[in-house]
C-alpha cells in the first residue's frame, strides 16, 4: 500500500465529469476564480491539517517523506487545491515548530487539528525574496507591539484562522531586526486592519491571494513566536524544511501533465498514424519522462537527507528548490508544445492542460526564487570544493537512498545556517558500482564534471558570493545542483534492495542529468525506446509513472 | 592547534585577524574598520557571516554558527567571543 492511497481514493476518479473534485470540477472552479469547496471538505475529512502537526502535539507529522507523498497527490489532482489547502499552512506551521518551545506551538497545533488554516505573511512587493529588508513594522510599545505596514500577495491571508506575520522589530539594518508573530484573524482589532482585493493572477486562480494593511494594529507580546529579533534566523531554518519539501510536491504537476500528454499521443492520429509514432513526439515524451524521474529521485533523496544529515540541509534545500521546479516548469511547457492548440483551449477534452501550464509557473519563483537559491549556494561552494578536492569520495548511510527505510525524527535543533564544509551527496562515489546498461559513459562524464567543479569552487573569489556574483558563478552553482541530482540516482541504484529496481528509469534520469550539463548529449535511441515502452505500459495498466517510495 | 594564550598580545592578534577578515570581505582597508561599529555597516550581510564562520573554524578550530556573529556584531565583540572560547579550551 502506498502512503497516499487513502487520500487518492478520497479524491475519486479524476476523469469522472460528475466528480466534484474531478478535473472538470477543478477547471470550473478555476474559470470562476472560486475555491474548490468540495476539495477542501474532503481534505479536511482526511485530516490533512493533522499531517502538519508533530506527533508529540497530537498530529500525524513524523517524517516528511509522508507529508510530501500526500501533498504531491493533491498537487497531481489540482495544484491550486494543494496550495490553497495544504502547502500554505505547512509553510506557516514549520516556522512555529522551528522556533522551539512556547505556548504558540500549542495554539498553532490546535488551529490545524481543528481543521483551520494558517497563512504565511512574509511577502512585500518592495522586497521580494530579500526578506532581510522587509519593512512592515512591529514597534515595541507599552509591553506589546504596534504593527504598521503591508503584506502583499499572501495565500489565504483573508480567510485563514491564523496568520504568521514577519515584521521588523528594530529599525536598524542587520539580521536581528525581525520577529515573527502568530495572529488570530478573529481577534484583529477592527479599523486597524484593511484587507486587499484578490490579486488577479495568471494561474492558481482558485487560491485566495490577498494582502493586509496594518494601521497601528496592537499586538500583545505573547503573540511573538520565538524571541525578539529571531525572525530571520527562524525563517532561514524553517525554509530548509519547506524548500526541501516543496520540490517533491511539485513533481505531482509534471506527473499529471505527462500522463495527459501520453494519453493524447496514444489516442490522437495525425498524418495517418498515431501521434506517438512520430519520432519527434517520442523524443519529447521520453525526455520529459527522464526529467520527471530525475526530479522525483532528487526530491526524495533530499527529503531523506533532511532527516539524516540535517546539518547539510541548508545546502541541499537550496539545490533541490532551484533545480526541480526549473525542470518541472520546463517539462510542462515542452509537453504543451507537443499538444499544440490542445494545450491552449479552455474547453474540450484537453482543457485541463492549459490550467496546468498556468498553475505550474509559480513553482520557480514561489517560496524562494531559483536565483536566490543559487545565490545562497555560492556562499557554501568554496568550502565544499576544497573538501571535495582534498578527500576521496565516501558513502553516507544507505538510508539516504532506500525509499522504504525508516527515518529518524527531524532534528529541528540541528538545522543550522553554517552548512559546513562537507556535502555527502556531492562526495558520493559514482563509478565504483555496476550501472544499468548505457549509463557508464554518462556517469563517468558526470564524475569528471564534479572533479572539475570542485577545483573551480575552491577558487571562487569573494566577489562571487552574494547578489552581485558573476553570471559564470551562478552557472557553477547550477551545475552543482545537477551533480547532486545525478548522485541521488546513482545512490538509489546502488542501494536498490530487489532485482526489479528500475534500470530503465535510472538510465533515463542519468542521461537527462548529463544533458543538463551538456546540451549536446542527447538520449540514445535505445534509452528513449525503453523509457517510452515503460511509460506506455504504465499508462495502459493504470500504474504510477514513478514508483511510490 | 589554536593558541591558548590569553595575554594582551594574543587578544590583539585575534582582533587584528577579525578586523582583517571583515576588511577583506567588505573591500575596506583594515584601518577603515572600527572595532565598535556594527559589521553590517560595512556591508557584511548574513551570507558573508557564513563565510566568516568557516574562516574562524580554519584559523582557530572553533565551530560557530553565523548567528554567533549576528549576536556579536562588531570586531570587538566577535574577537572577545573567540578569545573567550579559546580560553575555555
Amino acid at each position: 500500500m502506498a502512503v497516499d492511497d487513502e487520500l487518492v481514493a478520497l479524491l475519486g476518479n479524476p476523469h469522472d465529469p460528475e466528480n466534484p473534485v474531478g478535473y472538470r470540477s477543478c477547471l470550473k472552479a478555476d474559470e470562476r476564480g472560486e475555491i474548490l469547496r468540495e476539495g477542501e471538505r474532503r481534505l479536511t475529512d482526511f485530516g490533512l491539517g493533522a499531517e502538519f502537526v508533530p506527533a508529540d502535539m497530537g498530529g500525524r507529522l513524523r517524517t516528511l517523506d509522508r507529508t510530501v507523498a500526500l501533498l504531491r497527490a493533491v498537487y497531481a489532482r489540482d495544484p491550486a487545491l494543494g496550495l490553497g489547502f495544504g502547502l500554505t499552512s505547512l509553510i506557516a506551521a514549520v516556522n512555529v515548530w522551528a522556533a522551539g518551545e512556547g505556548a504558540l506551538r500549542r495554539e498553532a497545533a490546535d488551529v490545524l487539528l481543528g481543521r483551520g488554516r494558517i497563512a504565511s505573511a512574509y511577502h512585500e512587493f518592495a522586497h521580494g525574496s530579500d526578506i532581510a529588508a522587509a519593512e512592515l513594522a512591529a514597534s515595541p510599545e507599552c509591553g506589546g507591539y504596534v504593527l504598521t505596514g503591508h503584506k502583499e500577495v499572501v495565500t489565504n491571508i483573508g480567510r485563514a484562522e491564523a496568520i504568521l506575520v514577519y515584521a521588523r522589530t528594530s529599525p536598524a539594518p542587520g539580521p536581528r531586526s525581525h520577529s515573527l508573530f502568530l495572529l488570530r484573524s478573529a481577534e484583529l482589532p477592527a479599523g486597524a486592519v484593511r484587507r486587499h482585493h484578490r490579486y488577479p493572477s495568471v494561474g492558481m486562480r482558485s487560491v485566495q491571494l490577498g494582502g493586509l494593511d496594518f494601521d497601528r494594529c496592537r499586538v500583545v507580546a505573547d503573540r511573538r513566536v520565538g524571541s525578539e529579533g529571531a525572525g530571520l534566523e527562524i525563517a532561514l531554518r524553517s525554509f530548509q524544511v519547506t524548500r526541501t519539501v516543496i520540490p517533491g510536491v511539485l513533481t505531482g504537476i509534471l506527473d499529471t501533465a505527462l500522463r495527459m500528454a501520453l494519453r493524447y499521443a496514444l489516442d490522437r492520429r495525425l498524418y495517418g498514424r498515431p501521434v506517438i509514432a512520430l519520432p519527434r513526439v517520442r523524443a519529447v515524451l521520453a525526455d520529459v519522462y527522464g526529467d520527471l524521474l530525475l526530479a522525483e529521485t532528487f526530491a526524495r533523496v533530499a527529503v531523506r537527507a533532511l532527516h539524516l544529515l540535517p546539518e547539510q540541509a541548508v545546502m541541499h534545500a537550496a539545490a533541490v528548490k532551484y533545480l526541480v521546479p526549473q525542470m518541472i516548469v520546463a517539462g510542462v511547457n515542452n509537453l504543451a508544445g507537443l499538444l499544440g492548440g490542445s494545450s491552449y483551449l479552455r474547453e474540450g477534452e484537453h482543457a485541463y492542460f492549459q490550467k496546468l501550464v498556468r498553475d505550474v509557473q509559480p513553482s520557480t519563483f514561489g517560496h524562494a526564487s531559483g536565483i536566490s537559491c543559487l545565490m545562497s549556494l555560492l556562499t557554501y561552494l568554496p568550502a565544499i570544493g576544497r573538501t571535495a578536492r582534498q578527500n576521496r569520495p565516501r558513502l553516507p548511510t544507505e538510508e539516504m537512498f532506500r525509499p522504504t527505510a525508516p527515518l529518524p525524527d527531524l532534528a529541528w535543533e540541528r538545522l543550522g545556517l553554517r552548512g559546513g564544509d562537507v556535502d555527502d551527496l556531492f562526495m558520493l562515489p559514482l563509478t565504483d558500482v555496476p550501472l544499468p546498461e548505457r549509463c557508464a559513459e554518462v556517469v563517468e562524464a558526470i564524475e569528471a564534471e564534479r572533479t572539475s567543479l570542485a577545483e573551480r569552487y575552491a577558487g571562487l573569489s569573494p566577489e562571487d558570493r552574494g547578489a552581485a556574483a558573476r553570471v559564470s558563478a551562478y552557472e557553477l552553482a547550477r551545475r552543482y545542483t545537477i551533480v547532486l541530482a545525478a548522485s541521488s540516482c546513482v545512490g538509489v541504484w546502488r542501494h536498490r534492495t530487489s532485482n526489479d529496481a528500475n534500470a530503465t528509469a535510472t538510465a533515463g534520469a542519468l542521461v537527462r542529468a548529463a544533458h543538463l550539463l551538456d546540451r549536446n548529449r542527447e538520449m540514445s535511441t535505445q534509452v528513449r525506446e525503453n523509457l517510452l515502452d515503460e511509460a506506455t505500459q504504465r499508462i495502459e495498466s493504470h500504474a504510477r509513472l514513478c514508483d511510490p517510495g | 592547534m589554536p593558541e591558548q594564550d590569553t595575554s594582551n598580545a594574543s587578544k590583539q592578534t585575534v582582533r587584528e585577524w577579525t578586523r582583517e577578515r571583515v576588511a577583506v570581505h567588505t573591500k575596506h582597508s583594515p584601518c577603515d574598520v572600527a572595532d565598535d561599529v556594527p559589521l553590517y555597516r560595512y556591508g557584511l550581510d548574513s551570507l558573508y557571516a557564513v563565510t566568516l564562520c568557516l574562516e574562524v573554524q580554519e584559523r582557530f578550530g572553533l565551530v560557530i554558527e553565523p548567528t554567533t556573529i549576528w549576536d556579536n556584531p562588531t570586531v570587538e565583540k566577535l574577537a572577545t567571543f573567540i578569545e573567550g572560547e579559546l580560553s575555555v579550551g
Side-chain angles (χ1 to χ4, degrees), chain A residues 172-176 232-233 236 375-376 379-380 383 386 416-421 462-463 465-467, chain B residues 24-25 27 40-41 45-48 50-51 53-55 57-58 62-68 70-71:
Chain A
R176 287 296 192 203
L232 185 65
E233 181 185 356
L236 293 180
M375 191 174 97
S376 21
T379 308
Y380 300 101
R386 284 196 297 274
L417 309 185
R418 190 174 163 278
D421 46 9
E463 290 85 66
R465 296 169 220 180
Chain B
V24 166
H25 289 312
K27 299 200 192 77
Y40 61 76
R41 292 251 182 100
D45 63 16
S46 53
L47 291 178
Y48 274 113
V50 173
T51 308
C53 281
L54 292 172
E55 291 171 344
Q57 182 181 358
E58 277 169 25
L62 273 183
V63 176
I64 61 168
E65 271 284 320
T67 45
T68 301
W70 298 3
D71 294 329

Side-chain angles (χ1 to χ4, degrees), chain A residues 26 30 37 68 74 181 185 212 239 272 284 296 318 321 336 353 355 363 376 434 448 461 463 470 492:
Chain A
C26 297
D30 173 78
R37 299 278 172 195
V68 170
V74 184
F181 298 87
S185 306
L212 281 183
F239 286 178
V284 172
E296 183 75 22
K321 179 65 180 74
F353 206 91
K355 175 172 146 58
S363 304
S376 21
S461 77
E463 290 85 66
R470 287 173 299 176
V492 169

Side-chain angles (χ1 to χ4, degrees), chain B residues 1-85:
Chain B
M1 279 301 288
E3 290 215 4
Q4 300 291 312
D5 184 6
T6 54
S7 70
N8 249 359
S10 163
K11 175 153 184 168
Q12 203 62 16
T13 308
V14 173
R15 191 187 291 205
E16 274 170 12
W17 178 87
T18 308
R19 194 186 299 136
E20 187 237 25
R21 291 326 299 164
V22 170
V24 166
H25 289 312
T26 61
K27 299 200 192 77
H28 284 80
S29 154
C31 9
D32 293 337
V33 176
D35 288 359
D36 57 350
V37 170
L39 300 175
Y40 61 76
R41 292 251 182 100
Y42 298 107
L44 195 100
D45 63 16
S46 53
L47 291 178
Y48 274 113
V50 173
T51 308
L52 191 51
C53 281
L54 292 172
E55 291 171 344
V56 168
Q57 182 181 358
E58 277 169 25
R59 174 68 177 80
F60 303 106
L62 273 183
V63 176
I64 61 168
E65 271 284 320
T67 45
T68 301
I69 297 174
W70 298 3
D71 294 329
N72 295 281
T74 63
V75 168
E76 166 74 41
K77 286 180 179 162
L78 186 56
T80 307
F81 174 87
I82 293 170
E83 274 289 327
E85 290 295 302

Side-chain angles (χ1 to χ4, degrees), chain A residues 186-205:
Chain A
E187 292 168 12
L188 290 175
V193 174
R194 193 183 68 81
R195 290 204 165 95
H196 297 184
H197 61 84
R198 199 275 179 202
Y199 289 89
S201 57
V202 169
M204 295 288 191
R205 290 170 51 189

Side-chain angles (χ1 to χ4, degrees), chain A residues 178-234:
Chain A
H178 292 87
S179 306
L180 284 162
F181 298 87
L182 187 70
L183 308 182
R184 300 306 295 259
S185 306
E187 292 168 12
L188 290 175
V193 174
R194 193 183 68 81
R195 290 204 165 95
H196 297 184
H197 61 84
R198 199 275 179 202
Y199 289 89
S201 57
V202 169
M204 295 288 191
R205 290 170 51 189
S206 48
V207 170
Q208 199 271 337
L209 213 55
L212 281 183
D213 293 335
F214 294 89
D215 181 14
R216 290 200 51 82
C217 174
R218 290 188 175 281
V219 170
V220 294
D222 291 351
R223 292 268 131 216
R224 198 186 60 231
V225 177
S227 48
E228 185 173 293
L232 185 65
E233 181 185 356
I234 296 170

Side-chain angles (χ1 to χ4, degrees), chain A residues 325-342:
Chain A
Q326 201 79 30
M327 294 178 71
I328 287 167
V329 173
V332 172
N333 288 341
N334 287 342
L335 294 173
L338 191 152
L339 265 76
S342 298

